[in-house]
Amino acid sequence: MSYKSDKIVIVGGGSSGWMTAATLVKCFPNKDITVVESNLIPTIGVGESTLLEFNDWLRYLDIDIKEFMVATEASFKFGIGFTNFVEEVDKTKYYIFGQPDLKDTWNGMNDWYLLKLKNINLENKDFVDYYYKHSYAASIGVNKIPYEKSEHLYPFEFLKDTAFQVNAIKFAEWLRENYCIPKGVKRIVSTVSSSIEKEEGIDYLILSDGFKLSADLFVDCSGFKSILLGKVMKPEFIHTKNLLPNNKAWFGPIKYTDKEKELELITNCTGLKNGWVWNTPLWSRIGSGYVYCDEYIDDDSALEEFKTHLNSKNMIVYNPNRTDDMEFKKIEIKNGYYKIPWIKNVVAIGLSHGFLEPMESTGLKFIHSAALALCKSLNTKKHTQFDIDIFNNEMTNSYESAFNFVSLHYSLSKRDDSPYWNYLTSQKQSKEIHQEVKESFGKNLSQIYVNWGYIARTNLHFQHIQKEYPYDIYQNIEIFEKIRRKKIQNAKQYIDSCPTHYQYLKEYIYNE
């Protein structure tokens, strides 16, 4: 059977609905696209982060970076920091964006592994410092913007290797008013009361005012409710509670105490006894939240634990009264995804398809990657079941990969100070997760493995490396060490001469 897609109805606004609409209208300016958006459903507004793929999406839509940043109160993001994840009290580990510097190495990243074998006291952070030399710019207390291309930071390129931290509510509003509607997307302010089905899927929707809305394709962007895919098409839901048990979060906006210091270049994640806290610094405020599992702590106790953390010296700037004027909200988290996101003429994008806790900032990535994949499937007069199957396979692989990757952040931990962490680091957890990721070892997971001290304890890996080197292996390593130290020194000197994150945003983006 083949399907048309000349008329598309998107149910739900927010980031998911308007990002999808923007992508579709850019790819198909002649299609009839309508967004049904309720003004009664409250927005969450936790503050969101992007990954590097988001930059490609912005470029595809021809969106001006400065205009986008000002409209969304955005700041820059070089990576993600993890504090108190390996041990109850430990240094911050960094997962830095960009490509590694493999120039002047004998055998790529294996040079550092062998150097670690020779000098077991070499800190694991040294791995990131060398291969991702711009990581120093994002270090706590540094926060510098190396905006000009420099040989000392090769191969880092500002903007290309930098993501963003944004106000997702303002982002959705800006896309709606300044991109989608001017390009012809129609908006209906209403809610969906029910739907009438037919053999090919949904025939039409009945809105709250009785209006009947038909379409060739219905895109479900209704959030956790998943009113079209989940409630009408009813595919199997894959629960991931066994690997990611966190099911609730307290969150609230934080006023800056010292903007120069607190406007970090990373999304900072801090492990607590029953979950973890995120800090997402925007230009106007810091978005913060505590993700936890209510099997190990009740809601009121979780809020107190969150407040205690925010008022403590664990924060970049100590402010014992930080939470006095904060407003806190609570949300429930539904970790998992529908096995089949596109059935007949209904396709789900965003939370209506699935959700992964926000540790690796995958929320917006799932949206724009699904929207672009949908455009590929619709790039003919009619699409077939084969096109639908390709989309479903791509989205399922994307979710499964992300779930396994985030699960590693827990299974590699050595924390044992609470029942929560004991469960996450249990033998059952470790066995399940490593069965999934073992084929990816040494490829896209190098940073997190080394940061968590995993490769440093794997003698088998070192033995494999030694076999790949020539006879004069240690002489080559000595040369590598001298070059490495000089590169790190030059990179730090250059970065120290650059403006801070706050100074750069103030002068070049916000013109204040």
Side-chain angles (χ1 to χ4, degrees), residues 172-194:
E173 293 172 348
W174 180 78
L175 277 178
R176 181 185 70 206
E177 300 299 327
N178 296 277
Y179 193 93
C180 294
I181 292 178
K183 290 183 179 294
V185 175
K186 290 175 284 189
R187 181 192 184 212
I188 297 177
V189 179
S190 186
T191 56
V192 175
S193 296
S194 61

PDB file of all heavy atoms in Angstrom, residues 172-194:
ATOM      1  N   ALA A 172      10.545  27.348  21.025  1.00  0.00           N
ATOM      2  CA  ALA A 172       9.337  26.916  20.322  1.00  0.00           C
ATOM      3  C   ALA A 172       8.510  28.119  19.864  1.00  0.00           C
ATOM      4  O   ALA A 172       8.017  28.154  18.730  1.00  0.00           O
ATOM      5  CB  ALA A 172       8.505  26.014  21.229  1.00  0.00           C
ATOM      6  N   GLU A 173       8.375  29.106  20.730  1.00  0.00           N
ATOM      7  CA  GLU A 173       7.610  30.305  20.374  1.00  0.00           C
ATOM      8  C   GLU A 173       8.262  31.056  19.226  1.00  0.00           C
ATOM      9  O   GLU A 173       7.576  31.549  18.318  1.00  0.00           O
ATOM     10  CB  GLU A 173       7.486  31.215  21.599  1.00  0.00           C
ATOM     11  CG  GLU A 173       6.638  30.621  22.719  1.00  0.00           C
ATOM     12  CD  GLU A 173       6.690  31.459  23.983  1.00  0.00           C
ATOM     13  OE1 GLU A 173       7.557  32.369  24.063  1.00  0.00           O
ATOM     14  OE2 GLU A 173       5.886  31.207  24.901  1.00  0.00           O
ATOM     15  N   TRP A 174       9.566  31.142  19.252  1.00  0.00           N
ATOM     16  CA  TRP A 174      10.291  31.859  18.191  1.00  0.00           C
ATOM     17  C   TRP A 174      10.156  31.134  16.854  1.00  0.00           C
ATOM     18  O   TRP A 174       9.933  31.771  15.816  1.00  0.00           O
ATOM     19  CB  TRP A 174      11.760  32.009  18.584  1.00  0.00           C
ATOM     20  CG  TRP A 174      12.577  32.724  17.552  1.00  0.00           C
ATOM     21  CD1 TRP A 174      12.630  34.067  17.319  1.00  0.00           C
ATOM     22  CD2 TRP A 174      13.460  32.122  16.601  1.00  0.00           C
ATOM     23  NE1 TRP A 174      13.495  34.349  16.289  1.00  0.00           N
ATOM     24  CE2 TRP A 174      14.018  33.163  15.827  1.00  0.00           C
ATOM     25  CE3 TRP A 174      13.853  30.809  16.340  1.00  0.00           C
ATOM     26  CZ2 TRP A 174      14.942  32.933  14.811  1.00  0.00           C
ATOM     27  CZ3 TRP A 174      14.764  30.573  15.330  1.00  0.00           C
ATOM     28  CH2 TRP A 174      15.294  31.638  14.575  1.00  0.00           C
ATOM     29  N   LEU A 175      10.294  29.806  16.875  1.00  0.00           N
ATOM     30  CA  LEU A 175      10.116  29.035  15.643  1.00  0.00           C
ATOM     31  C   LEU A 175       8.716  29.236  15.072  1.00  0.00           C
ATOM     32  O   LEU A 175       8.543  29.398  13.860  1.00  0.00           O
ATOM     33  CB  LEU A 175      10.349  27.542  15.910  1.00  0.00           C
ATOM     34  CG  LEU A 175      11.774  27.014  15.913  1.00  0.00           C
ATOM     35  CD1 LEU A 175      11.772  25.528  16.250  1.00  0.00           C
ATOM     36  CD2 LEU A 175      12.471  27.254  14.580  1.00  0.00           C
ATOM     37  N   ARG A 176       7.734  29.237  15.936  1.00  0.00           N
ATOM     38  CA  ARG A 176       6.354  29.391  15.496  1.00  0.00           C
ATOM     39  C   ARG A 176       6.116  30.749  14.830  1.00  0.00           C
ATOM     40  O   ARG A 176       5.591  30.822  13.706  1.00  0.00           O
ATOM     41  CB  ARG A 176       5.420  29.230  16.699  1.00  0.00           C
ATOM     42  CG  ARG A 176       3.937  29.351  16.365  1.00  0.00           C
ATOM     43  CD  ARG A 176       3.108  29.304  17.650  1.00  0.00           C
ATOM     44  NE  ARG A 176       3.287  30.517  18.449  1.00  0.00           N
ATOM     45  CZ  ARG A 176       3.119  30.568  19.769  1.00  0.00           C
ATOM     46  NH1 ARG A 176       2.804  29.465  20.444  1.00  0.00           N
ATOM     47  NH2 ARG A 176       3.280  31.704  20.402  1.00  0.00           N
ATOM     48  N   GLU A 177       6.520  31.829  15.522  1.00  0.00           N
ATOM     49  CA  GLU A 177       6.195  33.171  15.062  1.00  0.00           C
ATOM     50  C   GLU A 177       7.127  33.702  13.984  1.00  0.00           C
ATOM     51  O   GLU A 177       6.714  34.506  13.145  1.00  0.00           O
ATOM     52  CB  GLU A 177       6.197  34.141  16.258  1.00  0.00           C
ATOM     53  CG  GLU A 177       5.206  33.781  17.344  1.00  0.00           C
ATOM     54  CD  GLU A 177       3.772  33.779  16.848  1.00  0.00           C
ATOM     55  OE1 GLU A 177       3.449  34.592  15.946  1.00  0.00           O
ATOM     56  OE2 GLU A 177       2.967  32.963  17.352  1.00  0.00           O
ATOM     57  N   ASN A 178       8.381  33.266  13.990  1.00  0.00           N
ATOM     58  CA  ASN A 178       9.376  33.855  13.097  1.00  0.00           C
ATOM     59  C   ASN A 178       9.841  32.940  11.968  1.00  0.00           C
ATOM     60  O   ASN A 178      10.582  33.380  11.093  1.00  0.00           O
ATOM     61  CB  ASN A 178      10.608  34.300  13.911  1.00  0.00           C
ATOM     62  CG  ASN A 178      10.279  35.396  14.887  1.00  0.00           C
ATOM     63  OD1 ASN A 178      10.238  36.570  14.551  1.00  0.00           O
ATOM     64  ND2 ASN A 178      10.027  35.000  16.134  1.00  0.00           N
ATOM     65  N   TYR A 179       9.424  31.675  12.008  1.00  0.00           N
ATOM     66  CA  TYR A 179       9.864  30.762  10.957  1.00  0.00           C
ATOM     67  C   TYR A 179       8.675  30.030  10.327  1.00  0.00           C
ATOM     68  O   TYR A 179       8.427  30.154   9.138  1.00  0.00           O
ATOM     69  CB  TYR A 179      10.867  29.749  11.515  1.00  0.00           C
ATOM     70  CG  TYR A 179      11.602  28.982  10.438  1.00  0.00           C
ATOM     71  CD1 TYR A 179      12.831  29.432   9.961  1.00  0.00           C
ATOM     72  CD2 TYR A 179      11.069  27.825   9.871  1.00  0.00           C
ATOM     73  CE1 TYR A 179      13.509  28.735   8.961  1.00  0.00           C
ATOM     74  CE2 TYR A 179      11.725  27.133   8.877  1.00  0.00           C
ATOM     75  CZ  TYR A 179      12.939  27.603   8.423  1.00  0.00           C
ATOM     76  OH  TYR A 179      13.598  26.928   7.420  1.00  0.00           O
ATOM     77  N   CYS A 180       7.926  29.303  11.141  1.00  0.00           N
ATOM     78  CA  CYS A 180       6.889  28.425  10.587  1.00  0.00           C
ATOM     79  C   CYS A 180       5.715  29.191   9.979  1.00  0.00           C
ATOM     80  O   CYS A 180       5.361  28.983   8.811  1.00  0.00           O
ATOM     81  CB  CYS A 180       6.387  27.480  11.678  1.00  0.00           C
ATOM     82  SG  CYS A 180       7.635  26.306  12.250  1.00  0.00           S
ATOM     83  N   ILE A 181       5.087  30.053  10.765  1.00  0.00           N
ATOM     84  CA  ILE A 181       3.915  30.778  10.267  1.00  0.00           C
ATOM     85  C   ILE A 181       4.259  31.676   9.079  1.00  0.00           C
ATOM     86  O   ILE A 181       3.518  31.693   8.078  1.00  0.00           O
ATOM     87  CB  ILE A 181       3.249  31.568  11.413  1.00  0.00           C
ATOM     88  CG1 ILE A 181       2.624  30.569  12.410  1.00  0.00           C
ATOM     89  CG2 ILE A 181       2.191  32.537  10.883  1.00  0.00           C
ATOM     90  CD1 ILE A 181       1.975  31.208  13.612  1.00  0.00           C
ATOM     91  N   PRO A 182       5.379  32.430   9.102  1.00  0.00           N
ATOM     92  CA  PRO A 182       5.732  33.224   7.915  1.00  0.00           C
ATOM     93  C   PRO A 182       5.951  32.385   6.662  1.00  0.00           C
ATOM     94  O   PRO A 182       5.791  32.878   5.550  1.00  0.00           O
ATOM     95  CB  PRO A 182       7.022  33.927   8.339  1.00  0.00           C
ATOM     96  CG  PRO A 182       6.928  34.030   9.827  1.00  0.00           C
ATOM     97  CD  PRO A 182       6.266  32.755  10.245  1.00  0.00           C
ATOM     98  N   LYS A 183       6.299  31.097   6.837  1.00  0.00           N
ATOM     99  CA  LYS A 183       6.524  30.236   5.682  1.00  0.00           C
ATOM    100  C   LYS A 183       5.266  29.463   5.280  1.00  0.00           C
ATOM    101  O   LYS A 183       5.325  28.623   4.381  1.00  0.00           O
ATOM    102  CB  LYS A 183       7.679  29.267   5.970  1.00  0.00           C
ATOM    103  CG  LYS A 183       9.039  29.940   6.036  1.00  0.00           C
ATOM    104  CD  LYS A 183      10.152  28.919   6.262  1.00  0.00           C
ATOM    105  CE  LYS A 183      11.513  29.605   6.310  1.00  0.00           C
ATOM    106  NZ  LYS A 183      11.877  30.209   5.006  1.00  0.00           N
ATOM    107  N   GLY A 184       4.146  29.719   5.950  1.00  0.00           N
ATOM    108  CA  GLY A 184       2.890  29.135   5.504  1.00  0.00           C
ATOM    109  C   GLY A 184       2.294  28.059   6.383  1.00  0.00           C
ATOM    110  O   GLY A 184       1.218  27.521   6.063  1.00  0.00           O
ATOM    111  N   VAL A 185       2.950  27.701   7.485  1.00  0.00           N
ATOM    112  CA  VAL A 185       2.374  26.705   8.386  1.00  0.00           C
ATOM    113  C   VAL A 185       1.158  27.319   9.088  1.00  0.00           C
ATOM    114  O   VAL A 185       1.211  28.440   9.588  1.00  0.00           O
ATOM    115  CB  VAL A 185       3.401  26.244   9.436  1.00  0.00           C
ATOM    116  CG1 VAL A 185       2.749  25.296  10.441  1.00  0.00           C
ATOM    117  CG2 VAL A 185       4.585  25.553   8.755  1.00  0.00           C
ATOM    118  N   LYS A 186       0.058  26.581   9.127  1.00  0.00           N
ATOM    119  CA  LYS A 186      -1.160  27.062   9.784  1.00  0.00           C
ATOM    120  C   LYS A 186      -1.203  26.580  11.229  1.00  0.00           C
ATOM    121  O   LYS A 186      -0.718  25.494  11.556  1.00  0.00           O
ATOM    122  CB  LYS A 186      -2.388  26.569   9.016  1.00  0.00           C
ATOM    123  CG  LYS A 186      -2.563  27.228   7.650  1.00  0.00           C
ATOM    124  CD  LYS A 186      -3.716  26.638   6.880  1.00  0.00           C
ATOM    125  CE  LYS A 186      -3.346  25.285   6.302  1.00  0.00           C
ATOM    126  NZ  LYS A 186      -4.382  24.764   5.368  1.00  0.00           N
ATOM    127  N   ARG A 187      -1.787  27.400  12.089  1.00  0.00           N
ATOM    128  CA  ARG A 187      -1.899  27.073  13.506  1.00  0.00           C
ATOM    129  C   ARG A 187      -3.359  27.086  13.929  1.00  0.00           C
ATOM    130  O   ARG A 187      -4.082  28.045  13.673  1.00  0.00           O
ATOM    131  CB  ARG A 187      -1.102  28.065  14.348  1.00  0.00           C
ATOM    132  CG  ARG A 187      -1.142  27.797  15.848  1.00  0.00           C
ATOM    133  CD  ARG A 187      -0.599  28.960  16.632  1.00  0.00           C
ATOM    134  NE  ARG A 187      -0.528  28.694  18.055  1.00  0.00           N
ATOM    135  CZ  ARG A 187      -0.676  29.611  19.000  1.00  0.00           C
ATOM    136  NH1 ARG A 187      -0.902  30.884  18.657  1.00  0.00           N
ATOM    137  NH2 ARG A 187      -0.595  29.294  20.280  1.00  0.00           N
ATOM    138  N   ILE A 188      -3.779  26.027  14.596  1.00  0.00           N
ATOM    139  CA  ILE A 188      -5.116  25.956  15.179  1.00  0.00           C
ATOM    140  C   ILE A 188      -4.950  25.826  16.687  1.00  0.00           C
ATOM    141  O   ILE A 188      -4.305  24.888  17.172  1.00  0.00           O
ATOM    142  CB  ILE A 188      -5.921  24.759  14.644  1.00  0.00           C
ATOM    143  CG1 ILE A 188      -6.156  24.898  13.137  1.00  0.00           C
ATOM    144  CG2 ILE A 188      -7.249  24.625  15.380  1.00  0.00           C
ATOM    145  CD1 ILE A 188      -6.882  23.713  12.515  1.00  0.00           C
ATOM    146  N   VAL A 189      -5.500  26.767  17.433  1.00  0.00           N
ATOM    147  CA  VAL A 189      -5.435  26.714  18.891  1.00  0.00           C
ATOM    148  C   VAL A 189      -6.640  25.931  19.380  1.00  0.00           C
ATOM    149  O   VAL A 189      -7.769  26.432  19.408  1.00  0.00           O
ATOM    150  CB  VAL A 189      -5.412  28.129  19.505  1.00  0.00           C
ATOM    151  CG1 VAL A 189      -5.360  28.048  21.028  1.00  0.00           C
ATOM    152  CG2 VAL A 189      -4.231  28.919  18.966  1.00  0.00           C
ATOM    153  N   SER A 190      -6.411  24.689  19.748  1.00  0.00           N
ATOM    154  CA  SER A 190      -7.484  23.804  20.174  1.00  0.00           C
ATOM    155  C   SER A 190      -6.873  22.546  20.767  1.00  0.00           C
ATOM    156  O   SER A 190      -5.645  22.403  20.836  1.00  0.00           O
ATOM    157  CB  SER A 190      -8.392  23.455  18.988  1.00  0.00           C
ATOM    158  OG  SER A 190      -9.510  22.708  19.414  1.00  0.00           O
ATOM    159  N   THR A 191      -7.729  21.631  21.194  1.00  0.00           N
ATOM    160  CA  THR A 191      -7.280  20.328  21.674  1.00  0.00           C
ATOM    161  C   THR A 191      -8.034  19.238  20.920  1.00  0.00           C
ATOM    162  O   THR A 191      -9.115  19.469  20.379  1.00  0.00           O
ATOM    163  CB  THR A 191      -7.528  20.162  23.179  1.00  0.00           C
ATOM    164  OG1 THR A 191      -8.920  20.367  23.450  1.00  0.00           O
ATOM    165  CG2 THR A 191      -6.708  21.148  23.977  1.00  0.00           C
ATOM    166  N   VAL A 192      -7.453  18.055  20.887  1.00  0.00           N
ATOM    167  CA  VAL A 192      -8.076  16.919  20.209  1.00  0.00           C
ATOM    168  C   VAL A 192      -8.970  16.179  21.191  1.00  0.00           C
ATOM    169  O   VAL A 192      -8.516  15.732  22.252  1.00  0.00           O
ATOM    170  CB  VAL A 192      -7.005  15.968  19.641  1.00  0.00           C
ATOM    171  CG1 VAL A 192      -7.664  14.724  19.038  1.00  0.00           C
ATOM    172  CG2 VAL A 192      -6.169  16.690  18.594  1.00  0.00           C
ATOM    173  N   SER A 193     -10.234  16.052  20.865  1.00  0.00           N
ATOM    174  CA  SER A 193     -11.193  15.337  21.719  1.00  0.00           C
ATOM    175  C   SER A 193     -11.230  13.851  21.400  1.00  0.00           C
ATOM    176  O   SER A 193     -11.303  13.008  22.291  1.00  0.00           O
ATOM    177  CB  SER A 193     -12.595  15.933  21.574  1.00  0.00           C
ATOM    178  OG  SER A 193     -12.623  17.268  22.027  1.00  0.00           O
ATOM    179  N   SER A 194     -11.196  13.518  20.108  1.00  0.00           N
ATOM    180  CA  SER A 194     -11.263  12.116  19.699  1.00  0.00           C
ATOM    181  C   SER A 194     -10.812  11.993  18.256  1.00  0.00           C
ATOM    182  O   SER A 194     -10.484  12.990  17.596  1.00  0.00           O
ATOM    183  CB  SER A 194     -12.693  11.572  19.853  1.00  0.00           C
ATOM    184  OG  SER A 194     -13.593  12.305  19.041  1.00  0.00           O
TER     185      SER A 194
END
